[in-house]
Amino acid sequence: MPHDLGTPVPAPLGRMADLLGATVRPAARRATPVTEVVITEPGDRSTATPGTLILAVGARSTDLVGRPPGAAVAVREDPALLEAAEKAGTTLLVVPPGIRWDEVAAVVQGELARAAAAADDRSHGDLYSLAQTVAALAGGPVSIEDTAHRVLAHAGSVDDADDLRRRSVLGRSCPEPYLALLREEGVYRRVRESEDVVEVGSRPDLGARRRLVVGIQAGTRPLGTIWLQEGAGPLAAHADEILRGAARLAAGRLVDHYYLGDPTGRVRSHEDLAHGLLTGRFNARALAVHLGVPPTAGASVVAVDLRDDPDGDPAARDARLAEAAGMVAVHAAAYRRNALVAQACGQIYAMLPETGTAGAEDALLRWAGDLVAVLRGHTRTPAQAVVAGTAARLDDIPEVKLRGHHGLEILARTPDRPVASHRGLTSSLMVREALDTLARHGGVRHEGLAALVAHDTAHGTEMARSLLLYLDAFGDVGVVAKELNVHPNTLRYRVRKAVSVAGLDLDDPEHRLAAMIGLRLLTGPDRAVRNAPYFPH
């Protein structure tokens, strides 16, 4: 919903400081909201309100006294001013030398305009989020520009920014000398003609490091470009793929930018479409038309779980999930042009149209493995993924999504295993379904096994777990003893004792099968022998 046009949209002071290479004093006030900027001269006592950033040109110590709480003052580095501000409790933006006051004002106004645009038009906010995702994945500062070379969004380390980038951000557009170079080298022509990523070499004379650029297109219509600048270190190995995926995602968001104010030119967000398709509440035929794929097309589904700490800070957990969803979206778009990504049940699902071809599962497993490696590296979580399978029609995606959800439940029991396919987990899923059926419907229970588990609970022993591991390992005493960290003779004694307490005959195959099922049923994942393999791996 658009914000109230009479209400200024704030932007954080710390964000402006980062763009200018300035500092906020005290640092704890980096989140101070700024809603307007005014320029004053020495002795000027112009009225300021909370949210005002005062550019105090030639400020004196007395100019810092009596400012309202919530207002901030931008000054040059001066020990006397810093001391006066500390005594007066004034928030300062300390601007480094070499940046003119009109440039400071331009940065502040640009950030305020960006904040207002994000509030009025979600596509702008989405572009900033996309730029941040690309910067994190590709390892360098990122800018997204429209066809008039205006900077719509940017992200990345201020320390890595070269002089050209700083001037582009400050002026909200690319400097003309560099544009002339790009025209001369045919860079814009090349990015308009294909999805290829074009490399632009460093130009120290223009203050420009090496860059990669990709065009953003809707069919044959150019919508803009995404720029990735090389920083202090090398760019990511798959930077080209990351840029291609980001350009495909940006196309839909820039359509909103160009058709802003024309409701007939706008479409429901990809997030809404993806979630509707995943849950079955959106008309799949209509979505197929929107995506440009045949209504009878199939789609593969990959389910991802960050395995985040359920007891951690909910806000931090939600932030990591949103960050991860953005990364999955970029990788999915690079892999399949019409990919959709949605969140559900605290998990992330990638839907990849028309991938049900021979060898598709192996390719998806490799892709999912690369994706999990990226997620683990950036989110610092033990992420896992399941290739759920291919829906024969888009209407079948909710059913395949459920397979992915169940597969992730099974995969959680082997945290060191990053990726699996639903097909590869079939045996475990069958066992779980059989156990769930037995648990729901009751019937015959093995009293001897119940007595064995009760004995362990009463005496603090591990006979039930030892017997289950022994049966799962086909009686390999050496392997199980090593896993339990006991002597083989100790394990043999435990097994004999367990068999005696439970009244089992391990020479009888039905006794062995009953023990394997019964112990799993009695000692489920949250019971006393939690480390027993409740489901086979």
Side-chain angles (χ1 to χ4, degrees):
M1 177 180 294
H3 77 284
D4 182 350
L5 295 179
T7 304
V9 179
L13 183 63
R15 171 72 182 169
M16 299 166 186
D18 290 343
L19 292 173
L20 291 163
T23 57
V24 177
R25 305 282 182 88
R29 296 184 186 171
R30 282 178 54 85
T32 298
V34 176
T35 56
E36 67 170 346
V37 58
V38 299
I39 300 178
T40 66
E41 297 180 353
D44 189 342
R45 304 300 298 173
S46 297
T47 301
T49 61
T52 300
L53 175 62
I54 303 163
L55 307 190
V57 180
R60 299 178 301 210
S61 299
T62 54
D63 295 330
L64 305 182
V65 179
R67 296 299 182 185
V73 181
V75 298
R76 299 291 187 188
E77 183 84 33
D78 183 324
L81 289 176
L82 299 181
E83 182 180 355
E86 184 177 358
K87 290 179 180 178
T90 303
T91 301
L92 290 186
L93 177 70
V94 183
V95 179
I99 298 181
R100 302 190 311 272
W101 286 112
D102 60 332
E103 292 177 326
V104 176
V107 168
V108 176
Q109 293 287 13
E111 279 304 292
L112 293 176
R114 184 199 67 78
D120 280 336
D121 173 18
R122 192 175 73 176
S123 68
H124 284 228
D126 287 348
L127 287 175
Y128 268 86
S129 175
L130 179 61
Q132 290 164 358
T133 298
V134 175
L137 290 173
V142 172
S143 295
I144 301 178
E145 299 179 2
D146 63 14
T147 51
H149 317 302
R150 292 183 297 245
V151 177
L152 301 175
H154 52 86
S157 170
V158 174
D159 293 338
D160 279 344
D162 60 16
D163 185 56
L164 176 68
R165 175 179 171 80
R166 282 191 288 269
R167 284 185 284 144
S168 297
V169 171
L170 287 170
R172 309 301 294 179
S173 64
C174 185
E176 180 55 38
Y178 196 69
L179 288 175
L181 171 69
L182 298 176
R183 296 187 195 102
E184 180 182 337
E185 295 185 353
V187 171
Y188 284 112
R189 174 184 54 78
R190 292 162 65 189
V191 298
R192 283 195 303 267
E193 291 175 349
S194 72
E195 284 190 307
D196 291 345
V197 175
V198 176
E199 179 178 347
V200 181
S202 65
R203 285 294 302 265
D205 56 318
L206 296 176
R209 295 178 184 168
R210 172 176 171 264
R211 279 165 164 73
L212 300 180
V213 58
V214 66
I216 305 170
Q217 300 164 1
T220 58
R221 176 175 179 173
L223 299 177
T225 49
I226 302 179
W227 292 84
L228 173 64
Q229 178 217 298
E230 190 171 62
L235 298 175
H238 302 295
D240 285 17
E241 287 299 310
I242 293 167
L243 282 176
R244 264 190 288 272
R248 291 171 177 176
L249 290 176
R253 301 171 190 187
L254 279 179
V255 165
D256 274 356
H257 167 69
Y258 283 109
Y259 288 99
L260 182 61
D262 177 8
T264 63
R266 299 168 68 85
V267 296
R268 297 178 66 177
S269 73
H270 264 49
E271 289 80 4
D272 287 343
L273 294 174
H275 190 269
L277 182 62
L278 189 68
T279 57
R281 66 176 175 82
F282 194 85
N283 184 289
R285 180 173 291 274
L287 179 59
V289 173
H290 171 67
L291 292 177
V293 299
T296 56
S300 294
V301 178
V302 177
V304 178
D305 196 316
L306 293 186
R307 307 300 188 200
D308 214 342
D309 180 7
D311 299 322
D313 178 9
R317 190 168 61 248
D318 289 347
R320 278 190 293 272
L321 186 63
E323 177 189 21
M327 293 179 176
V328 174
V330 169
H331 279 269
Y335 190 67
R336 285 289 182 273
R337 169 180 289 280
N338 297 321
L340 288 173
V341 172
Q343 298 180 44
C345 308
Q347 296 163 339
I348 304 166
Y349 293 85
M351 293 160 279
L352 309 164
E354 299 184 289
T355 57
T357 57
E361 184 175 286
D362 289 341
L364 282 171
L365 283 169
R366 289 191 296 272
W367 177 79
D370 292 341
L371 174 63
V372 167
V374 169
L375 292 176
R376 288 185 172 190
H378 285 277
T379 66
R380 306 299 181 192
T381 61
Q384 292 180 300
V386 168
V387 176
T390 300
R393 301 176 307 157
L394 298 184
D395 285 326
D396 298 328
I397 282 180
E399 180 183 344
V400 180
K401 176 261 183 188
L402 196 58
R403 290 186 212 161
H405 180 71
H406 290 159
L408 286 171
E409 290 179 334
I410 299 297
L411 196 59
R413 304 187 180 282
T414 51
D416 292 337
R417 187 178 179 186
V419 178
S421 68
H422 181 272
R423 185 172 58 83
L425 296 170
T426 299
S427 298
S428 298
L429 288 162
M430 286 181 63
V431 171
R432 190 185 77 160
E433 185 174 348
L435 293 174
D436 287 346
T437 301
L438 286 171
R440 285 195 306 270
H441 297 291
V444 178
R445 288 289 183 268
H446 199 297
E447 294 182 1
L449 294 174
L452 175 61
V453 173
H455 181 281
D456 278 346
T457 302
H459 297 87
T461 54
E462 286 193 304
M463 291 189 296
R465 181 186 176 211
S466 299
L467 175 59
L468 183 54
L469 290 173
Y470 174 81
L471 291 170
D472 285 347
F474 296 99
D476 192 326
V477 172
V479 169
V480 178
K482 184 176 181 180
E483 182 170 347
L484 291 172
N485 195 29
V486 298
H487 193 277
N489 288 338
T490 300
L491 175 63
R492 293 187 181 97
Y493 169 78
R494 287 184 184 178
V495 171
R496 288 196 300 270
K497 179 72 171 177
V499 167
S500 174
V501 171
L504 295 169
D505 177 6
L506 296 189
D507 290 331
D508 187 325
E510 291 188 347
H511 278 232
R512 294 196 300 270
L513 179 59
M516 295 176 75
I517 293 174
L519 287 174
R520 280 173 166 77
L521 195 61
L522 288 164
T523 61
D526 299 318
R527 302 289 183 85
V529 288
R530 172 157 172 63
N531 292 328
Y534 183 42
F535 305 122
H537 305 329

PDB file of all heavy atoms in Angstrom, residues 250-272:
ATOM      1  N   ALA A 250      15.205  -9.239 -12.061  1.00  0.00           N
ATOM      2  CA  ALA A 250      15.017  -7.788 -12.100  1.00  0.00           C
ATOM      3  C   ALA A 250      14.046  -7.365 -13.192  1.00  0.00           C
ATOM      4  O   ALA A 250      13.413  -6.311 -13.070  1.00  0.00           O
ATOM      5  CB  ALA A 250      16.367  -7.097 -12.314  1.00  0.00           C
ATOM      6  N   ALA A 251      13.917  -8.161 -14.240  1.00  0.00           N
ATOM      7  CA  ALA A 251      13.060  -7.770 -15.368  1.00  0.00           C
ATOM      8  C   ALA A 251      11.634  -7.506 -14.899  1.00  0.00           C
ATOM      9  O   ALA A 251      11.039  -6.472 -15.228  1.00  0.00           O
ATOM     10  CB  ALA A 251      13.085  -8.848 -16.449  1.00  0.00           C
ATOM     11  N   GLY A 252      11.065  -8.430 -14.124  1.00  0.00           N
ATOM     12  CA  GLY A 252       9.700  -8.246 -13.647  1.00  0.00           C
ATOM     13  C   GLY A 252       9.565  -7.036 -12.750  1.00  0.00           C
ATOM     14  O   GLY A 252       8.543  -6.334 -12.763  1.00  0.00           O
ATOM     15  N   ARG A 253      10.590  -6.751 -11.967  1.00  0.00           N
ATOM     16  CA  ARG A 253      10.527  -5.624 -11.047  1.00  0.00           C
ATOM     17  C   ARG A 253      10.670  -4.293 -11.794  1.00  0.00           C
ATOM     18  O   ARG A 253      10.074  -3.290 -11.407  1.00  0.00           O
ATOM     19  CB  ARG A 253      11.611  -5.788  -9.979  1.00  0.00           C
ATOM     20  CG  ARG A 253      11.424  -7.097  -9.219  1.00  0.00           C
ATOM     21  CD  ARG A 253      12.547  -7.454  -8.287  1.00  0.00           C
ATOM     22  NE  ARG A 253      12.371  -8.825  -7.813  1.00  0.00           N
ATOM     23  CZ  ARG A 253      13.116  -9.385  -6.883  1.00  0.00           C
ATOM     24  NH1 ARG A 253      14.091  -8.701  -6.313  1.00  0.00           N
ATOM     25  NH2 ARG A 253      12.907 -10.639  -6.501  1.00  0.00           N
ATOM     26  N   LEU A 254      11.442  -4.295 -12.867  1.00  0.00           N
ATOM     27  CA  LEU A 254      11.580  -3.068 -13.647  1.00  0.00           C
ATOM     28  C   LEU A 254      10.361  -2.805 -14.522  1.00  0.00           C
ATOM     29  O   LEU A 254      10.103  -1.663 -14.892  1.00  0.00           O
ATOM     30  CB  LEU A 254      12.842  -3.128 -14.502  1.00  0.00           C
ATOM     31  CG  LEU A 254      14.131  -2.776 -13.751  1.00  0.00           C
ATOM     32  CD1 LEU A 254      15.339  -2.887 -14.671  1.00  0.00           C
ATOM     33  CD2 LEU A 254      14.058  -1.394 -13.161  1.00  0.00           C
ATOM     34  N   VAL A 255       9.623  -3.842 -14.852  1.00  0.00           N
ATOM     35  CA  VAL A 255       8.356  -3.614 -15.554  1.00  0.00           C
ATOM     36  C   VAL A 255       7.455  -2.759 -14.676  1.00  0.00           C
ATOM     37  O   VAL A 255       6.823  -1.803 -15.132  1.00  0.00           O
ATOM     38  CB  VAL A 255       7.668  -4.949 -15.901  1.00  0.00           C
ATOM     39  CG1 VAL A 255       6.218  -4.730 -16.288  1.00  0.00           C
ATOM     40  CG2 VAL A 255       8.401  -5.641 -17.038  1.00  0.00           C
ATOM     41  N   ASP A 256       7.417  -3.068 -13.380  1.00  0.00           N
ATOM     42  CA  ASP A 256       6.654  -2.242 -12.445  1.00  0.00           C
ATOM     43  C   ASP A 256       7.189  -0.812 -12.428  1.00  0.00           C
ATOM     44  O   ASP A 256       6.438   0.153 -12.346  1.00  0.00           O
ATOM     45  CB  ASP A 256       6.742  -2.823 -11.032  1.00  0.00           C
ATOM     46  CG  ASP A 256       5.685  -3.893 -10.789  1.00  0.00           C
ATOM     47  OD1 ASP A 256       4.864  -4.107 -11.697  1.00  0.00           O
ATOM     48  OD2 ASP A 256       5.684  -4.494  -9.710  1.00  0.00           O
ATOM     49  N   HIS A 257       8.506  -0.674 -12.508  1.00  0.00           N
ATOM     50  CA  HIS A 257       9.123   0.659 -12.477  1.00  0.00           C
ATOM     51  C   HIS A 257       8.670   1.486 -13.688  1.00  0.00           C
ATOM     52  O   HIS A 257       8.302   2.653 -13.562  1.00  0.00           O
ATOM     53  CB  HIS A 257      10.638   0.514 -12.477  1.00  0.00           C
ATOM     54  CG  HIS A 257      11.383   1.785 -12.744  1.00  0.00           C
ATOM     55  ND1 HIS A 257      11.407   2.829 -11.861  1.00  0.00           N
ATOM     56  CD2 HIS A 257      12.132   2.171 -13.804  1.00  0.00           C
ATOM     57  CE1 HIS A 257      12.140   3.812 -12.356  1.00  0.00           C
ATOM     58  NE2 HIS A 257      12.593   3.432 -13.534  1.00  0.00           N
ATOM     59  N   TYR A 258       8.657   0.877 -14.876  1.00  0.00           N
ATOM     60  CA  TYR A 258       8.306   1.616 -16.090  1.00  0.00           C
ATOM     61  C   TYR A 258       6.803   1.869 -16.210  1.00  0.00           C
ATOM     62  O   TYR A 258       6.380   2.838 -16.803  1.00  0.00           O
ATOM     63  CB  TYR A 258       8.804   0.857 -17.326  1.00  0.00           C
ATOM     64  CG  TYR A 258      10.284   1.028 -17.538  1.00  0.00           C
ATOM     65  CD1 TYR A 258      11.167  -0.023 -17.315  1.00  0.00           C
ATOM     66  CD2 TYR A 258      10.810   2.257 -17.921  1.00  0.00           C
ATOM     67  CE1 TYR A 258      12.536   0.135 -17.495  1.00  0.00           C
ATOM     68  CE2 TYR A 258      12.178   2.424 -18.100  1.00  0.00           C
ATOM     69  CZ  TYR A 258      13.027   1.361 -17.887  1.00  0.00           C
ATOM     70  OH  TYR A 258      14.369   1.519 -18.055  1.00  0.00           O
ATOM     71  N   TYR A 259       5.998   0.968 -15.635  1.00  0.00           N
ATOM     72  CA  TYR A 259       4.544   1.117 -15.741  1.00  0.00           C
ATOM     73  C   TYR A 259       3.927   1.628 -14.448  1.00  0.00           C
ATOM     74  O   TYR A 259       2.741   1.469 -14.217  1.00  0.00           O
ATOM     75  CB  TYR A 259       3.903  -0.227 -16.112  1.00  0.00           C
ATOM     76  CG  TYR A 259       4.183  -0.620 -17.534  1.00  0.00           C
ATOM     77  CD1 TYR A 259       5.203  -1.520 -17.819  1.00  0.00           C
ATOM     78  CD2 TYR A 259       3.457  -0.082 -18.584  1.00  0.00           C
ATOM     79  CE1 TYR A 259       5.478  -1.889 -19.121  1.00  0.00           C
ATOM     80  CE2 TYR A 259       3.723  -0.446 -19.888  1.00  0.00           C
ATOM     81  CZ  TYR A 259       4.736  -1.351 -20.157  1.00  0.00           C
ATOM     82  OH  TYR A 259       5.013  -1.715 -21.440  1.00  0.00           O
ATOM     83  N   LEU A 260       4.751   2.248 -13.596  1.00  0.00           N
ATOM     84  CA  LEU A 260       4.266   2.767 -12.322  1.00  0.00           C
ATOM     85  C   LEU A 260       3.076   3.698 -12.550  1.00  0.00           C
ATOM     86  O   LEU A 260       3.125   4.622 -13.349  1.00  0.00           O
ATOM     87  CB  LEU A 260       5.394   3.537 -11.614  1.00  0.00           C
ATOM     88  CG  LEU A 260       5.065   4.105 -10.241  1.00  0.00           C
ATOM     89  CD1 LEU A 260       4.705   2.991  -9.271  1.00  0.00           C
ATOM     90  CD2 LEU A 260       6.245   4.911  -9.711  1.00  0.00           C
ATOM     91  N   GLY A 261       1.989   3.425 -11.833  1.00  0.00           N
ATOM     92  CA  GLY A 261       0.800   4.251 -11.959  1.00  0.00           C
ATOM     93  C   GLY A 261      -0.191   3.731 -12.972  1.00  0.00           C
ATOM     94  O   GLY A 261      -1.315   4.217 -13.056  1.00  0.00           O
ATOM     95  N   ASP A 262       0.192   2.709 -13.745  1.00  0.00           N
ATOM     96  CA  ASP A 262      -0.734   2.136 -14.726  1.00  0.00           C
ATOM     97  C   ASP A 262      -1.131   0.750 -14.249  1.00  0.00           C
ATOM     98  O   ASP A 262      -0.393  -0.216 -14.451  1.00  0.00           O
ATOM     99  CB  ASP A 262      -0.039   2.041 -16.090  1.00  0.00           C
ATOM    100  CG  ASP A 262      -0.935   1.373 -17.136  1.00  0.00           C
ATOM    101  OD1 ASP A 262      -2.116   1.135 -16.830  1.00  0.00           O
ATOM    102  OD2 ASP A 262      -0.433   1.092 -18.233  1.00  0.00           O
ATOM    103  N   PRO A 263      -2.276   0.600 -13.589  1.00  0.00           N
ATOM    104  CA  PRO A 263      -2.653  -0.696 -13.018  1.00  0.00           C
ATOM    105  C   PRO A 263      -2.738  -1.795 -14.065  1.00  0.00           C
ATOM    106  O   PRO A 263      -2.522  -2.958 -13.762  1.00  0.00           O
ATOM    107  CB  PRO A 263      -4.030  -0.430 -12.389  1.00  0.00           C
ATOM    108  CG  PRO A 263      -4.103   1.059 -12.212  1.00  0.00           C
ATOM    109  CD  PRO A 263      -3.301   1.635 -13.331  1.00  0.00           C
ATOM    110  N   THR A 264      -3.050  -1.451 -15.316  1.00  0.00           N
ATOM    111  CA  THR A 264      -3.174  -2.484 -16.339  1.00  0.00           C
ATOM    112  C   THR A 264      -1.825  -3.033 -16.737  1.00  0.00           C
ATOM    113  O   THR A 264      -1.735  -4.101 -17.338  1.00  0.00           O
ATOM    114  CB  THR A 264      -3.866  -1.922 -17.594  1.00  0.00           C
ATOM    115  OG1 THR A 264      -3.036  -0.882 -18.161  1.00  0.00           O
ATOM    116  CG2 THR A 264      -5.226  -1.341 -17.251  1.00  0.00           C
ATOM    117  N   GLY A 265      -0.771  -2.297 -16.437  1.00  0.00           N
ATOM    118  CA  GLY A 265       0.561  -2.748 -16.812  1.00  0.00           C
ATOM    119  C   GLY A 265       1.260  -3.510 -15.716  1.00  0.00           C
ATOM    120  O   GLY A 265       2.384  -3.961 -15.894  1.00  0.00           O
ATOM    121  N   ARG A 266       0.610  -3.666 -14.567  1.00  0.00           N
ATOM    122  CA  ARG A 266       1.246  -4.312 -13.426  1.00  0.00           C
ATOM    123  C   ARG A 266       0.685  -5.719 -13.257  1.00  0.00           C
ATOM    124  O   ARG A 266      -0.445  -6.013 -13.607  1.00  0.00           O
ATOM    125  CB  ARG A 266       1.030  -3.491 -12.161  1.00  0.00           C
ATOM    126  CG  ARG A 266       1.624  -2.096 -12.257  1.00  0.00           C
ATOM    127  CD  ARG A 266       1.151  -1.211 -11.123  1.00  0.00           C
ATOM    128  NE  ARG A 266       1.672  -1.643  -9.857  1.00  0.00           N
ATOM    129  CZ  ARG A 266       2.867  -1.291  -9.380  1.00  0.00           C
ATOM    130  NH1 ARG A 266       3.636  -0.507 -10.094  1.00  0.00           N
ATOM    131  NH2 ARG A 266       3.270  -1.686  -8.216  1.00  0.00           N
ATOM    132  N   VAL A 267       1.482  -6.597 -12.723  1.00  0.00           N
ATOM    133  CA  VAL A 267       1.061  -7.974 -12.495  1.00  0.00           C
ATOM    134  C   VAL A 267       1.297  -8.313 -11.036  1.00  0.00           C
ATOM    135  O   VAL A 267       2.027  -7.619 -10.324  1.00  0.00           O
ATOM    136  CB  VAL A 267       1.875  -8.955 -13.376  1.00  0.00           C
ATOM    137  CG1 VAL A 267       1.595  -8.699 -14.835  1.00  0.00           C
ATOM    138  CG2 VAL A 267       3.374  -8.850 -13.079  1.00  0.00           C
ATOM    139  N   ARG A 268       0.642  -9.355 -10.588  1.00  0.00           N
ATOM    140  CA  ARG A 268       0.873  -9.799  -9.226  1.00  0.00           C
ATOM    141  C   ARG A 268       2.337 -10.171  -9.058  1.00  0.00           C
ATOM    142  O   ARG A 268       2.997 -10.659  -9.969  1.00  0.00           O
ATOM    143  CB  ARG A 268      -0.010 -11.008  -8.919  1.00  0.00           C
ATOM    144  CG  ARG A 268      -1.487 -10.699  -8.989  1.00  0.00           C
ATOM    145  CD  ARG A 268      -2.316 -11.919  -8.723  1.00  0.00           C
ATOM    146  NE  ARG A 268      -2.151 -12.374  -7.356  1.00  0.00           N
ATOM    147  CZ  ARG A 268      -2.835 -13.412  -6.840  1.00  0.00           C
ATOM    148  NH1 ARG A 268      -3.699 -14.049  -7.586  1.00  0.00           N
ATOM    149  NH2 ARG A 268      -2.646 -13.775  -5.599  1.00  0.00           N
ATOM    150  N   SER A 269       2.859  -9.941  -7.891  1.00  0.00           N
ATOM    151  CA  SER A 269       4.277 -10.183  -7.655  1.00  0.00           C
ATOM    152  C   SER A 269       4.601 -11.656  -7.834  1.00  0.00           C
ATOM    153  O   SER A 269       3.755 -12.532  -7.652  1.00  0.00           O
ATOM    154  CB  SER A 269       4.657  -9.756  -6.240  1.00  0.00           C
ATOM    155  OG  SER A 269       4.152 -10.681  -5.294  1.00  0.00           O
ATOM    156  N   HIS A 270       5.846 -11.927  -8.200  1.00  0.00           N
ATOM    157  CA  HIS A 270       6.293 -13.309  -8.339  1.00  0.00           C
ATOM    158  C   HIS A 270       6.129 -14.064  -7.027  1.00  0.00           C
ATOM    159  O   HIS A 270       5.857 -15.265  -7.028  1.00  0.00           O
ATOM    160  CB  HIS A 270       7.761 -13.330  -8.795  1.00  0.00           C
ATOM    161  CG  HIS A 270       7.917 -13.486 -10.271  1.00  0.00           C
ATOM    162  ND1 HIS A 270       7.221 -12.721 -11.171  1.00  0.00           N
ATOM    163  CD2 HIS A 270       8.672 -14.346 -11.005  1.00  0.00           C
ATOM    164  CE1 HIS A 270       7.555 -13.082 -12.404  1.00  0.00           C
ATOM    165  NE2 HIS A 270       8.425 -14.083 -12.327  1.00  0.00           N
ATOM    166  N   GLU A 271       6.309 -13.368  -5.905  1.00  0.00           N
ATOM    167  CA  GLU A 271       6.173 -14.036  -4.607  1.00  0.00           C
ATOM    168  C   GLU A 271       4.751 -14.544  -4.421  1.00  0.00           C
ATOM    169  O   GLU A 271       4.532 -15.678  -3.973  1.00  0.00           O
ATOM    170  CB  GLU A 271       6.556 -13.075  -3.477  1.00  0.00           C
ATOM    171  CG  GLU A 271       8.042 -12.751  -3.393  1.00  0.00           C
ATOM    172  CD  GLU A 271       8.476 -11.705  -4.407  1.00  0.00           C
ATOM    173  OE1 GLU A 271       7.604 -11.172  -5.141  1.00  0.00           O
ATOM    174  OE2 GLU A 271       9.691 -11.430  -4.478  1.00  0.00           O
ATOM    175  N   ASP A 272       3.760 -13.703  -4.756  1.00  0.00           N
ATOM    176  CA  ASP A 272       2.363 -14.128  -4.635  1.00  0.00           C
ATOM    177  C   ASP A 272       2.056 -15.287  -5.581  1.00  0.00           C
ATOM    178  O   ASP A 272       1.386 -16.255  -5.219  1.00  0.00           O
ATOM    179  CB  ASP A 272       1.424 -12.960  -4.947  1.00  0.00           C
ATOM    180  CG  ASP A 272       1.413 -11.922  -3.836  1.00  0.00           C
ATOM    181  OD1 ASP A 272       1.856 -12.250  -2.716  1.00  0.00           O
ATOM    182  OD2 ASP A 272       0.966 -10.789  -4.091  1.00  0.00           O
TER     183      ASP A 272
END
